[in-house]
Amino acid sequence: MNIQMQTGGVFILLLLLYFYKRQHTIGLYTGRLFLRALYITIACLILDILSIVLIINQAHLPIWLVKTECKAYLVSLITTGYIAFAYASADIHHLVKADKFTRRLGVVVIVIGILIFALPISTYYDGHNIVYTHGLACSATYAGALLLILATLLKIFLHGKTMNPKRRSAIRLWLLIWIVAALTQFLNSKLLLVGFASVMGMVILFFELENPEIYIDRSTGFFNSYAFVEFIKQRYHMDIDCCGILLSLENVHVINNMTPAKMEKAMAEIVQFIRRIPKVRVFKTDDREFSLEFEEKEALYHACGIIYDRFRRSWLTDHADEEPVFLQPNYILIPSCKVAENAEEMLGVLKYFRSHCAESSEDSVITIDEDSVKKRREHDEMLGTLVRAIKEDRIEVFYQPIYSTKEKKFVSAEALARIRREDGSIIPPGLFIPIAEETGLISEVGEILFDKTCRFIKEQNLNDYGIQYIEANLSVIQCDSEALANTYISIMQKHHIAPESINLEITESASINTRKTLLENMRCLIDYGVSFSLDDFGSGQSNLNYIVDMPVQIVKFDRDMTQSYFKGEKAKFVLRAAMNMIHDMHLKVVSEGVETKEQLTVLEELGIDYIQGYYFSKPLEAKAFIEFIKKENFR
């Protein structure tokens, strides 16, 4: 019975080996360990079968040959336990350290193997079906194997959080089966179960972790995104440099219109084209995205030339029923993985630039070098600073005074967000506002800013100092929120402030991109009593139609438009014409960026209603702003 069980186990493992070998693999370290374990387990079963055959026929054979072969089988059992330990350690010690550690552990296994060969062994055969070995060599085998198994389980218990969860579970199950089999065989030597238990372990590892199919994209036959992540991690763990190109057609610019069916045919042609690129390992990392990895830069740049040249020409030329099309993909070049410190950083940088490509409507080539990685690190550092500032309530409101040329005093101020670092220094908005907008945190920052502004208005009784209202900026993201009006009204009601003390600034880009939702929010807030300004008029896609369509009371000329007035006659004509048209619509004008006494005088004579700029004051902390207003408005 035992020989039939072991023979069946050999056939099972040979099938696993066939299915493993017939598929292309990416050469992961754990895959190599699995293949090594598979070979050793096959050898172990063959030695087990051979030992049974020799014991049955020992009457016709030299006894030393029988015992030597039986001891060789026992050593193979110990080696299987050693491989299990090494396989588990691959995750825990991040591949490179695991390799050094397993070599040291190999010395222990060698010592145990020598001990097995040195100790006596006896054989038993009842002349029918019962065959087994016993003696001190067997006891040493059980003790050594059990020690390795328990050490593996202990390592998983202590360091399991660093392992792939599926690998951790699979190894635990494999070792549990092996322990049960070993104990059963130790208690009943007639049941030779340990070898077959190893077969079950290999089956579990294959289907749970090491089946090459899990790394393959079925639609193309290339490696998939999961394989790409594992490949990059291993490259860093083993300190092996690589280079590559990310070819993205996710947001591909198509010169002529394409139906989904037509695009699918083009993608099939692209896949066949990529297959012909030499010296490349290809990963399909998204629906229309491929990562091509190379061992050498020369191969990378050679492939880039081939790819660039091919995409200059049309596709679908072999389809008589289709009109040829031209595709313009996005490219991300990575000349060296060494520019990032670890796999996690490189994957994060790739994700960042992939997102950038997805948002771009133009053909682009991005090279990930030291400068781009540095910028990404600064981005992540500032994002972390912003998140902590929100959590720790370190977002502050600064106020820049706004001067009325008619009343000759300061009548309002613009509320501006600042972050105070842990050391007390101030981070300017240009460093964190773009990141807040990019990540969507700008809505939370805007609400914090507005809440603190309302509290400031209430606590300081700003009307007593001649301040009629405070201007607060709205981001494009906030303008696109259907909850904006209700949220801001509830904040004003919480602080019991008059809606007339608030003016909300919108930008032209907000009025373009979020028109319908913005208008609904504006109507609701205006009905409540809030007024609006159109901020940064004169930049970007300026158009007087925005003023006509938007229910605003104030238009703000941005700094560039204000300063250009003093640099050329054409700019003077434009600014005067814009101001007169705005005044004809019974709206007020604010000029930002005024820096000198001469500029103030000219703009006052021109008829600008309000002046804002460093000539009067930079943005001030709340306390300094109150002191400034007291001093300037009550001379």
Side-chain angles (χ1 to χ4, degrees):
M1 173 183 171
N2 285 318
I3 196 168
Q4 289 90 339
M5 182 183 294
Q6 318 303 39
T7 304
V10 170
F11 278 112
I12 290 173
L13 293 183
L14 288 175
L15 277 174
L16 292 185
L17 183 61
Y18 167 75
F19 285 116
Y20 189 89
K21 281 290 191 179
R22 76 171 187 170
Q23 187 59 265
H24 188 44
T25 62
I26 54 176
L28 294 178
Y29 183 80
T30 53
R32 295 201 297 271
L33 279 178
F34 170 77
L35 194 58
R36 198 176 302 168
L38 196 57
Y39 285 135
I40 290 173
T41 306
I42 292 172
C44 179
L45 286 175
I46 292 173
L47 287 171
D48 193 7
I49 293 169
L50 185 58
S51 67
I52 294 172
V53 172
L54 293 183
I55 291 172
I56 291 173
N57 296 282
Q58 63 183 326
H60 311 291
L61 297 169
I63 192 63
W64 66 266
L65 176 63
V66 175
K67 291 186 176 183
T68 299
E69 200 286 330
C70 289
K71 290 181 178 181
Y73 162 64
L74 296 179
V75 170
S76 71
L77 285 176
I78 293 294
T79 307
T80 303
Y82 159 70
I83 287 295
F85 193 100
Y87 188 82
S89 298
D91 268 357
I92 295 169
H93 294 288
H94 303 297
L95 306 178
V96 175
K97 292 182 181 178
D99 194 45
K100 294 178 182 177
F101 183 80
T102 52
R103 284 200 294 267
R104 294 168 187 161
L105 186 62
V107 175
V108 177
V109 172
I110 291 171
V111 170
I112 295 174
I114 293 172
L115 187 61
I116 290 170
F117 272 103
L119 292 172
I121 189 171
S122 299
T123 62
Y124 176 82
Y125 175 52
D126 67 351
H128 299 286
N129 293 320
I130 301 175
V131 179
Y132 61 87
T133 58
H134 58 93
L136 291 177
C138 292
S139 299
T141 302
Y142 286 123
L146 190 59
L147 178 65
L148 287 168
I149 291 171
L150 292 176
T152 305
L153 289 174
L154 180 63
K155 183 170 282 292
I156 293 172
F157 176 77
L158 294 176
H159 306 284
K161 291 182 179 180
T162 64
M163 293 182 68
N164 178 327
K166 289 185 68 175
R167 179 167 289 112
R168 181 177 62 237
S169 299
I171 292 174
R172 282 175 177 171
L173 181 57
W174 174 24
L175 294 179
L176 179 62
I177 292 172
W178 221 43
I179 289 172
V180 171
L183 290 175
T184 303
Q185 186 169 324
F186 179 76
L187 297 173
N188 187 348
S189 301
K190 301 173 185 179
L191 298 174
L192 306 182
L193 301 177
V194 173
F196 196 76
S198 299
V199 174
M200 293 299 97
M202 290 294 100
V203 171
I204 291 168
L205 293 184
F206 179 84
F207 285 105
E208 280 291 303
L209 295 163
E210 301 301 340
N211 184 353
E213 292 284 344
I214 67 175
Y215 296 108
I216 302 298
D217 174 71
R218 293 184 180 276
S219 64
T220 62
F222 296 146
F223 296 118
N224 56 24
S225 58
Y226 176 64
F228 177 72
V229 172
E230 293 300 309
F231 173 78
I232 293 297
K233 287 181 178 179
Q234 176 166 298
R235 285 283 162 151
Y236 277 93
H237 291 328
M238 301 188 76
D239 197 26
I240 300 175
D241 194 13
C242 64
C243 52
I245 178 172
L246 200 69
L247 175 65
S248 176
L249 294 106
E250 292 292 343
N251 193 38
V252 65
H253 176 63
V254 185
I255 292 180
N256 50 327
N257 294 328
M258 292 184 71
T259 63
K262 199 171 185 180
M263 187 64 189
E264 186 175 341
K265 289 180 182 179
M267 288 299 296
E269 281 193 17
I270 292 168
V271 167
Q272 292 305 316
F273 161 69
I274 292 174
R275 288 187 195 282
R276 296 192 292 271
I277 297 174
K279 299 179 181 180
V280 65
R281 185 183 282 107
V282 184
F283 301 82
K284 187 170 183 285
T285 47
D286 214 328
D287 287 342
R288 296 178 183 174
E289 180 183 272
F290 304 92
S291 178
L292 286 66
E293 302 300 321
F294 304 87
E295 299 294 334
E296 300 173 350
K297 290 183 182 180
E298 291 76 10
L300 167 66
Y301 292 126
H302 177 67
C304 285
I306 295 173
I307 294 169
Y308 293 160
D309 179 67
R310 181 62 188 87
F311 275 95
R312 291 190 188 102
R313 294 181 278 121
S314 61
W315 300 88
L316 300 183
T317 53
D318 295 334
H319 295 74
D321 59 331
E322 296 283 5
E323 180 184 356
V325 298
F326 292 85
L327 303 175
Q328 295 178 339
N330 292 302
Y331 307 94
I332 300 177
L333 299 183
I334 310 103
S336 172
C337 285
K338 296 289 187 179
V339 295
E341 291 184 354
N342 51 52
E344 289 70 24
E345 182 176 42
M346 175 54 73
L347 293 170
V349 169
L350 279 174
K351 182 179 179 181
Y352 175 78
F353 286 111
R354 285 167 70 186
S355 174
H356 175 80
C357 287
E359 294 170 0
S360 173
S361 61
E362 300 180 357
D363 180 23
S364 62
V365 179
I366 297 173
T367 300
I368 297 180
D369 53 18
E370 290 184 359
D371 288 340
S372 59
V373 172
K374 180 181 177 182
K375 290 177 182 177
R376 177 60 184 171
R377 286 172 185 162
E378 292 171 351
H379 173 281
D380 289 345
E381 182 180 347
M382 184 52 64
L383 176 58
T385 299
L386 175 59
V387 170
R388 289 193 301 274
I390 292 172
K391 183 179 180 181
E392 298 167 7
D393 193 28
R394 286 188 285 104
I395 293 181
E396 297 185 13
V397 186
F398 279 44
Y399 300 90
Q400 187 170 31
I402 298 175
Y403 180 79
S404 169
T405 58
K406 180 179 179 180
E407 299 183 45
K408 305 299 180 183
K409 67 177 184 178
F410 295 94
V411 296
S412 62
E414 181 176 0
L416 300 163
R418 299 289 187 271
I419 289 178
R420 190 174 295 277
R421 292 189 178 93
E422 290 87 342
D423 62 4
S425 61
I426 295 295
I427 300 175
L431 295 180
F432 68 87
I433 290 296
I435 294 173
E437 291 175 339
E438 173 192 323
T439 58
L441 289 171
I442 192 65
S443 294
E444 190 171 358
V445 172
E447 287 182 23
I448 292 171
L449 181 77
F450 189 67
D451 184 86
K452 291 188 174 184
T453 298
C454 290
R455 187 193 314 157
F456 177 68
I457 293 170
K458 179 65 176 178
E459 291 177 351
Q460 297 298 327
N461 295 314
L462 294 184
N463 280 329
D464 294 345
Y465 305 116
I467 301 300
Q468 300 165 10
Y469 60 88
I470 297 291
E471 298 177 356
N473 291 283
L474 291 177
S475 69
V476 176
I477 293 175
Q478 287 177 290
C479 292
D480 197 30
S481 170
E482 295 180 356
L484 172 67
N486 289 334
T487 299
Y488 273 46
I489 288 172
S490 66
I491 292 173
M492 287 184 279
Q493 289 175 342
K494 180 180 73 173
H495 293 287
H496 305 289
I497 66 167
E500 294 78 12
S501 62
I502 293 294
N503 178 276
L504 296 175
E505 296 185 7
I506 60 171
T507 62
E508 291 173 10
S509 57
S511 67
I512 296 168
N513 299 329
T514 63
R515 191 177 191 83
K516 182 179 178 181
T517 305
L518 173 60
L519 283 172
E520 290 175 357
N521 280 315
M522 290 180 73
R523 290 190 192 102
C524 183
L525 287 161
I526 288 171
D527 288 343
Y528 185 69
V530 173
S531 62
F532 279 84
S533 298
L534 183 63
D535 195 18
D536 289 342
F537 182 81
S539 63
Q541 306 173 64
S542 297
N543 192 316
L544 286 171
N545 287 331
Y546 301 138
I547 304 174
V548 174
D549 296 338
M550 292 291 115
V552 297
Q553 289 75 46
I554 299 172
V555 176
K556 302 186 76 171
F557 293 162
D558 77 326
R559 180 186 181 281
D560 288 342
M561 188 171 182
T562 298
Q563 290 296 320
S564 67
Y565 181 84
F566 302 97
K567 297 178 180 178
E569 289 301 319
K570 289 183 179 180
K572 285 184 172 64
F573 176 80
V574 171
L575 188 142
R576 283 196 300 265
M579 184 197 69
N580 289 333
M581 292 177 69
I582 293 167
H583 280 161
D584 287 345
M585 289 185 282
H586 306 290
L587 304 178
K588 302 293 186 181
V589 176
V590 178
S591 273
E592 298 180 306
V594 177
E595 298 176 352
T596 67
K597 173 67 174 177
E598 292 73 21
Q599 291 176 356
L600 170 64
T601 302
V602 171
L603 293 173
E604 280 186 306
E605 293 173 354
L606 185 64
I608 297 293
D609 303 286
Y610 303 105
I611 303 295
Q612 180 179 352
Y614 273 43
Y615 170 69
F616 291 116
S617 174
K618 64 180 181 180
L620 301 168
E621 297 179 59
K623 183 178 179 181
F625 171 74
I626 293 296
E627 292 174 355
F628 176 88
I629 295 299
K630 285 180 180 179
K631 177 182 176 182
E632 296 296 327
N633 278 1
F634 299 100
R635 288 183 176 181

